[in-house]
Amino acid sequence: MKINFKDKKALIRVDFNVPLDKSYSITDDTRIREALPTIRHILDQGGSAILMSHLGRPLEKRNADGSINREKFTLRHLVKHLRKKLKARVHFAEDCIGKVPVKKAAALKPGEVLLLENTRFYAEEEQGNPEFAQKLAALADVYVNDAFGTAHRAHASTTIVANYFDPQHKCFGFLMEREIENARRVMQHPEKPVTCVVGGAKVSDKIVLLERFLDFADQIIIGGAMAYTFMLAKKGSIGNSLVEPDRVKAAKEFLKKAKAAGVKVLLPKDSLCGDKFAADATVRIFPSHQIPESWMGLDIGPVAAKSFGRAIRQSKTIVWNGPMGVFEMPAFAEGTKYIAKAVARATKSGAFSMVGGGDSVAAVNQLKLAKKVSFVSTGGGAMLEYLEGKALPGIKAIAG
Ligand code: AMP
């Protein structure tokens, strides 16, 4: 962060959209912990921090009488935890715009924190309303965006607010800087060979990503249910496996483009199949292009896992998005586990590895391998769009 925050009031967009239990206790404070270095840095420099975030979807999940369920969606639930973690004075403003935050922001002293109420109590937030954004901006001297997970949305607090600060008075927080830097590292100057691993349910969700990977990958590994659409494209039989027949053409075209670009595409040679979509299904291994009727591929098979693992271990840069099978069911989690371990081993031998996208992140966390890969993106949909090559409004608003 290039700004000197001494005696400055910094308006920081954080992602405090944390899960709460029935008594409104935080069940996973990862997102809060991740924002701490940025806040701490600003306070330590002698600045003060005005924090804003959304929590849940209060305008969609209203009370029966149509009113907003303030009790459920208030950010006040986080104040005690924040005080403990930051070891600083944390004030709370019962609104994010209007007289209350204006008064409290004006009274804020260096080293102190003001947490604003949920920005999504106002429809103007998601509409990206300029007047609303201007009111938020007026609370502070500088704007810091540290919420990468919402950077793909042109909301008032994530994007529009930045229009009211000149380039010297706005910047990314540490978390956001790291996400951008790591994504650029793999896309712009990756050490070769580069392997991209893509899994998950649907080709339709990932086709843009796959095509983008052709720009910098040496090989692309495709697993998960997606692989069966590719098997159909290669005239295989896939039994009852999850498939998108309307994407077979796109899969064929992708394979052609990959060939022309000299990028190797690895599909699973074999599949671990179940006789039903259930944790207690009877399990058998079949070649992925010869799955009998009434069987469905629910994970990559052992031969595929070994060949994918080998390819991963020989790589210098690895990007992974999406599980290799229905990893939520232990019987079909082995393929994803094998890949996670191969990525961890390659990292130990000096490769740079980045895991992004909800489910592969969940898999890496479940296996306690998060610390054994180079970077786990918290970005979800935002990271997917960034890797796809889209200009994210939250990034553009600051970096131009
Ligand atoms: P995505 O959100 O696109 O990354 O997809 C993740 C989901 O794909 C997970 O819930 C997996 O259970 C599911 N999935 C992965 N492989 C398969 C498969 N072979 N059959 C059905 N679902 C799958």
Side-chain angles (χ1 to χ4, degrees):
M1 283 191 283
K2 59 184 191 308
I3 296 173
N4 181 350
F5 291 95
K6 184 160 170 42
D7 295 325
K8 296 267 193 326
K9 290 190 169 95
L11 180 66
I12 315 174
R13 179 45 158 106
V14 286
D15 179 2
F16 281 177
N17 186 26
V18 290
L20 301 170
D21 64 16
K22 283 202 177 84
S23 51
Y24 304 123
S25 297
I26 300 163
T27 54
D28 179 353
D29 74 341
T30 310
R31 285 177 170 159
I32 294 180
R33 279 189 285 111
E34 283 179 334
L36 295 178
T38 296
I39 306 170
R40 204 53 276 163
H41 173 82
I42 290 168
L43 301 182
D44 288 348
Q45 276 200 345
S48 53
I50 302 169
L51 309 178
M52 58 179 173
S53 176
H54 73 284
L55 176 66
R57 300 187 161 275
L59 296 183
E60 286 166 30
K61 300 191 171 156
R62 289 171 184 263
N63 292 318
D65 65 1
S67 61
I68 293 177
N69 189 342
R70 291 187 169 263
E71 163 83 357
K72 181 170 177 190
F73 293 107
T74 177
L75 276 163
R76 191 190 278 283
H77 299 311
L78 278 55
V79 172
K80 229 165 103 185
H81 193 73
L82 257 182
R83 281 189 188 131
K84 207 167 90 191
K85 288 280 166 194
L86 279 169
K87 297 188 180 62
R89 283 195 76 174
V90 179
H91 307 272
F92 181 70
E94 296 79 1
D95 207 337
C96 62
I97 55 162
K99 278 192 194 136
V100 176
V102 167
K103 206 168 145 200
K104 291 196 175 181
L108 204 61
K109 296 191 185 68
E112 292 186 352
V113 176
L114 174 64
L115 176 65
L116 304 181
E117 185 53 288
N118 196 339
T119 51
R120 285 203 190 157
F121 281 172
Y122 289 89
E124 287 86 342
E125 161 71 335
E126 291 190 63
Q127 289 161 355
N129 180 289
E131 289 83 36
F132 176 75
Q134 193 171 14
K135 285 180 191 159
L136 293 171
L139 298 172
D141 308 304
V142 290
Y143 171 65
V144 179
N145 189 351
D146 213 14
F148 184 73
T150 48
H152 56 322
R153 310 271 180 234
H155 294 170
S157 70
T158 63
T159 300
I160 313 302
V161 67
N163 297 341
Y164 300 96
F165 296 88
D166 63 43
Q168 283 72 45
H169 292 86
K170 57 185 171 187
C171 67
F172 300 121
F174 291 133
L175 187 62
M176 189 117 165
E177 271 178 357
R178 237 182 5 186
E179 294 270 1
I180 296 171
E181 195 185 297
N182 284 309
R184 284 193 180 149
R185 176 172 176 174
V186 300
M187 291 191 292
Q188 292 171 2
H189 39 83
E191 201 182 331
K192 298 211 150 225
V194 181
T195 299
C196 296
V197 186
V198 185
K202 291 181 174 172
V203 171
S204 49
D205 287 344
K206 307 273 169 88
I207 190 75
V208 180
L209 187 69
L210 283 172
E211 298 208 338
R212 171 83 177 134
F213 283 164
L214 291 178
D215 293 341
F216 59 91
D218 295 292
Q219 46 188 4
I220 299 178
I221 291 175
I222 299 177
M226 283 175 59
Y228 303 109
T229 303
F230 282 90
M231 289 298 155
L232 270 195
K234 296 181 122 211
K235 303 212 181 321
S237 6
I238 53 156
N240 262 342
S241 307
L242 186 64
V243 71
E244 289 175 289
D246 58 333
R247 298 291 156 158
V248 169
K249 202 169 148 220
K252 262 189 204 157
E253 274 163 19
F254 170 78
L255 291 173
K256 243 194 242 162
K257 281 185 200 164
K259 201 167 173 199
V263 178
K264 207 167 147 190
V265 177
L266 277 74
L267 292 165
K269 285 222 158 55
D270 58 347
S271 288
L272 194 65
C273 302
D275 60 347
K276 56 183 174 183
F277 188 86
D280 63 347
T282 303
V283 171
R284 271 179 72 180
I285 297 162
F286 295 106
S288 299
H289 64 291
Q290 285 172 341
I291 299 175
E293 279 309 314
S294 83
W295 290 85
M296 53 179 83
L298 295 173
D299 194 7
I300 55 172
V303 174
K306 276 214 179 97
S307 91
F308 288 1
R310 213 175 304 122
I312 288 168
R313 285 194 300 276
Q314 286 163 1
S315 311
K316 282 284 171 218
T317 303
I318 303 147
V319 189
W320 179 22
N321 176 294
M324 294 291 104
V326 187
F327 78 104
E328 299 92 333
M329 300 179 190
F332 304 106
E334 287 306 314
T336 302
K337 273 191 201 170
Y338 197 94
I339 296 310
K341 285 183 188 156
V343 175
R345 267 182 68 183
T347 313
K348 202 172 170 197
S349 315
F352 177 80
S353 56
M354 176 166 137
V355 183
D359 273 332
S360 30
V361 173
V364 164
N365 285 333
Q366 202 175 300
L367 292 165
K368 301 201 174 16
L369 289 173
K371 289 207 166 72
K372 300 200 168 168
V373 299
S374 312
F375 183 63
V376 178
S377 168
T378 55
M383 180 51 85
L384 205 62
E385 288 195 20
Y386 198 53
L387 288 175
E388 283 172 357
K390 291 190 185 136
L392 305 192
I395 294 180
K396 231 174 125 193
I398 288 180

